[in-house]
Amino acid sequence: MRIGLYGGSFNPAHHGHRHVTVTALRRLGLDRVWWLVSPGNPLKSRIALPSVEARCAQAQEIARHPRIAVTGIEAALGVRFTVQTLRYLTRRCPGVQFVWIMGADSLSNFHRWKGFAEIAQLVPIAIMDRPGFTMTPLSARAAHRLAGARVPEDAAHTLPTRPPPAWVFLHGPRSPLSSTEIRNGRRGA
């Protein structure tokens, strides 16, 4: 089983999240993608953050795909950091080939994530192109540190079976939607 893990606040979930997910399913040859609705990003303010349950319910409305599962597992486990979630899942599901999915905007601060080097050692990573971030992630500190583990884009379908560290940058149609802009009333979902 090949499962993509797409974590975030999903505050709110929108069709850009779904677009990234459907692209990952197709380009990486995944069987499923789990949306990991986080209790709150440690690098962002949690002021006025709706409950995990409310965000999961709203994300379910957007996901509407038989191969997308929305989960609040991080809150249920009582974890705050991606590395904790990945440790748990890779131990609990040893036969599953997990892939971490993140937007290109997240790669620019990935080096600030708790245990980012361990994350790269636990699962392969797919970086999805985002408007305004097509070139900047490749100069990110984490991208430099993991440069030798980069997989050519035309081999993206092999990412789930590669031993970590391994990562790919996927270009393609990008969604301009942003949860921050939606919250600020600048774009529709």
Side-chain angles (χ1 to χ4, degrees), residues 15-170:
H15 291 286
H17 293 125
R18 190 176 190 285
H19 170 75
V20 163
T21 303
V22 171
T23 300
L25 283 164
R26 182 176 42 83
R27 301 274 309 272
L28 301 173
L30 300 173
D31 297 306
R32 295 182 62 81
V33 172
W34 296 351
W35 285 7
L36 305 177
V37 179
S38 75
N41 183 332
L43 299 176
K44 295 180 181 177
S45 171
R46 289 192 240 173
I47 296 171
L49 184 65
S51 71
V52 170
E53 295 79 14
R55 288 180 285 129
C56 281
Q58 191 269 331
Q60 289 281 16
E61 290 297 313
I62 296 294
R64 294 189 181 255
H65 192 288
R67 292 169 44 202
I68 301 173
V70 177
T71 176
I73 190 171
E74 292 179 316
L77 294 173
V79 300
R80 291 189 56 222
F81 302 103
T82 298
V83 68
Q84 295 170 306
T85 305
L86 295 178
R87 283 179 195 148
Y88 175 84
L89 290 174
T90 55
R91 273 195 314 263
R92 180 83 174 174
C93 310
V96 174
Q97 296 169 321
F98 289 111
V99 173
W100 183 255
I101 299 166
M102 73 167 76
D105 53 326
S106 294
L107 183 60
S108 61
N109 71 10
F110 185 44
H111 66 280
R112 295 179 54 213
W113 291 25
K114 181 178 180 69
F116 91 92
E118 184 180 350
I119 291 169
Q121 292 295 323
L122 286 169
V123 295
I125 301 169
I127 312 297
M128 309 301 285
D129 198 1
R130 290 281 314 269
F133 291 93
T134 299
M135 299 307 289
T136 52
L138 303 179
S139 62
R141 189 179 300 178
H144 283 289
R145 183 157 173 191
L146 299 169
R150 186 170 179 197
V151 174
E153 188 171 359
D154 62 359
H157 64 284
T158 68
L159 187 70
T161 61
R162 290 180 181 255
W167 67 283
V168 67
F169 188 93
L170 295 177

